[in-house]
Amino acid sequence: MAAFAAHYSPAGTAILLRSGSGRRAFPTRVSCSVAAAAHNKTVVIGVAADSGCGKSTFMRRLTSVLGGVPDEPPNPDSNTLVGDTATVLCLDDYRSLDRAARKARGLTALDPRANDLDLMYEQVRALKGGRAVDKPVYNHVTGLLGPPERVAPPRILLVAGLHPMYDERVRDLLDLSIYLDISYEVKLAWKIRRDMAESGHSLESIKARIAARKPDFDAYIDPQKQYADAVIEVLPTQLIPGDDDGKVPRVRLIMKEGVRHFAPVYLFDEGSTISWVPCGRKLSCSYPGIKFAYGFGTYFGHEVSVLEMDGRFDKLDELIYVETHLSNLSAKFYGEVTQQMLTHADLPGSNNGTGLFQTIVGLKIRELCEHIVAMTADDAVEV
């Protein structure tokens, strides 16, 4: 489903966006911050994406900004990451059918019928309301469902997986929703590099697996982006004609206007249409270079601002030059975006717009959480 198309002016100086169609038991692990515990408030963030589209990397960037959680669960059977401020809830745990049962019924994990969306809703609602839950656990190695684990309500709950915005009841619980939208060409290139290198799969088998999942992806996963408050869209570069290997991505941060506690980031002049090629003396970049754009338009009927980066950074510490030209970053100090990017320079996407926009979204989520908690505290004082 095409969301919008970008059209540059003949001179290449403006961008115009137009809408398109449309287990064993675990001990309780307390992860509430003092503020959340005192005011009984959990902020819930939904992150939706297809499998293999960078959710794990995004979670590492987010949790770094939000205070950090372990890279791996403390128990090898768990998929839940718990930190002092944030907890990452893996929605794979709400699969109602194990791997063998899905195969027998001819269902993929993308099909809602293979997932317990009622339980997901009930437990996200409970955590948002300050109540601990005994959450199921799905074992990715064996494909079996195991015994539940106790999860306590955190200050920030990151609900990440295939279906966080599929169910209207769950959507209503989200304080902010993010969709990672990886184009088919880039997704194929990523999976080819990963699967052929790590698992020895053939190109034909990789394409066949993607094709087999595509009908369910189109029916159940992709439509969720229309509900997202922010979308990180990864496309083939326009700097190299005909290139679609995903090594030089063109990345858009699509930000819905009017979202409470979320002011869209802008380049140079808010509300303008901008095309910017950074100065080569201030930002090192080898072929094919770097190009930024900023504009506005509609996305599934919603007014949006869009920030775009095409190309890759050669020297990540020079990102500070770009950072100084961006506004509404929600950073706490000068150079915080650059610092975060350097901290995670080893993560995929750290030299392009994927890592940059994931980091910026992390800063925006932190600010949103602080505003919500502060408002809750003010309401408690008034009562």
Side-chain angles (χ1 to χ4, degrees):
M1 184 188 315
F4 62 78
H7 303 281
Y8 290 88
S9 68
T13 58
I15 178 173
L16 176 63
L17 306 177
R18 299 189 184 279
S19 66
S21 62
R23 189 157 338 201
R24 61 182 64 90
F26 296 89
T28 300
R29 294 170 284 158
V30 177
S31 58
C32 299
S33 68
V34 174
H39 305 299
N40 197 34
K41 179 65 178 180
T42 291
V43 178
V44 184
I45 309 296
V47 179
D50 193 9
S51 299
C53 286
K55 289 190 297 293
S56 297
T57 299
F58 190 22
M59 290 302 103
R60 289 186 63 182
R61 294 188 193 280
L62 284 182
T63 54
S64 175
V65 171
L66 300 174
V69 299
D71 287 341
E72 299 292 338
N75 189 302
D77 292 335
S78 174
N79 299 309
T80 307
L81 299 178
V82 179
D84 293 334
T85 300
T87 290
V88 180
L89 203 65
C90 176
L91 296 186
D92 291 355
D93 286 333
Y94 291 99
R95 290 177 183 168
S96 57
L97 301 176
D98 62 27
R99 189 177 296 152
R102 294 197 304 273
K103 184 177 181 179
R105 294 182 57 178
L107 298 176
T108 72
L110 289 73
D111 193 315
R113 292 174 295 177
N115 299 268
D116 193 339
L117 299 184
D118 288 335
L119 181 61
M120 181 176 75
Y121 161 66
E122 292 167 2
Q123 295 200 338
V124 172
R125 182 180 64 174
L127 290 168
K128 187 178 179 73
R131 303 186 303 278
V133 301
D134 291 317
K135 182 189 64 59
V137 174
Y138 177 79
N139 190 312
H140 288 92
V141 176
T142 65
L144 298 174
L145 302 168
E149 63 178 340
R150 175 60 59 94
V151 175
R155 180 182 180 188
I156 303 173
L157 180 65
L158 298 168
V159 181
L162 295 171
H163 303 101
M165 291 174 271
Y166 179 82
D167 190 320
E168 183 179 4
R169 298 171 301 171
V170 180
R171 290 201 302 270
D172 290 342
L173 296 173
L174 302 179
D175 294 289
L176 192 76
S177 53
I178 315 294
Y179 186 89
L180 304 182
D181 188 14
I182 315 302
S183 70
Y184 173 80
E185 297 86 355
V186 174
K187 187 187 301 184
L188 177 61
W190 286 1
K191 287 184 178 291
I192 288 172
R193 286 202 299 271
R194 183 191 67 180
D195 292 355
M196 292 184 72
E198 297 178 3
S199 307
H201 292 294
S202 67
L203 177 60
E204 292 73 19
S205 67
I206 295 171
K207 289 183 176 180
R209 288 203 309 275
I210 293 178
R213 290 168 53 90
K214 193 174 187 305
D216 281 355
F217 171 77
D218 291 343
Y220 307 121
I221 310 305
D222 194 56
Q224 292 179 73
K225 64 190 178 187
Q226 66 186 296
Y227 305 114
D229 298 310
V231 175
I232 298 177
E233 183 180 50
V234 185
L235 301 160
T237 181
Q238 290 183 333
L239 299 176
I240 307 174
D243 181 89
D244 59 3
D245 68 1
K247 292 182 180 179
V248 182
R250 177 167 57 103
V251 188
R252 289 177 174 147
L253 175 56
I254 305 166
M255 300 159 284
K256 190 181 294 183
E257 298 281 356
V259 177
R260 198 175 190 193
H261 309 303
F262 188 100
V265 180
Y266 63 90
L267 175 66
F268 290 116
D269 182 29
E270 186 174 16
S272 297
T273 53
I274 306 290
S275 180
W276 177 47
V277 176
C279 175
R281 295 188 301 273
K282 299 177 181 177
L283 187 66
S284 303
C285 50
S286 54
Y287 177 83
I290 293 179
K291 184 175 183 179
F292 285 86
Y294 164 70
F296 56 93
T298 57
Y299 184 82
F300 292 102
H302 299 284
E303 295 296 320
V304 295
S305 293
V306 180
L307 180 64
E308 176 177 311
M309 175 184 168
D310 197 350
R312 299 177 295 189
F313 298 107
D314 280 352
K315 298 180 180 179
L316 203 50
D317 57 346
E318 295 178 348
L319 173 60
I320 190 68
Y321 169 56
V322 174
E323 185 175 350
T324 57
H325 292 79
L326 297 170
S327 299
N328 278 352
L329 286 174
S330 302
K332 290 186 178 293
F333 55 85
Y334 175 78
E336 186 177 12
V337 172
T338 302
Q339 181 192 76
Q340 283 287 335
M341 291 282 284
L342 288 169
T343 299
H344 299 292
D346 60 324
L347 291 180
S350 292
N351 67 344
N352 60 59
T354 307
L356 174 60
F357 294 157
Q358 288 179 355
T359 299
I360 290 173
V361 169
L363 299 180
K364 305 300 289 184
I365 289 174
R366 181 184 64 189
E367 182 181 63
L368 175 141
C369 176
E370 291 172 350
H371 286 173
I372 291 176
V373 171
M375 289 180 60
T376 306
D378 290 342
D379 291 342
V381 171
E382 291 178 4
V383 172

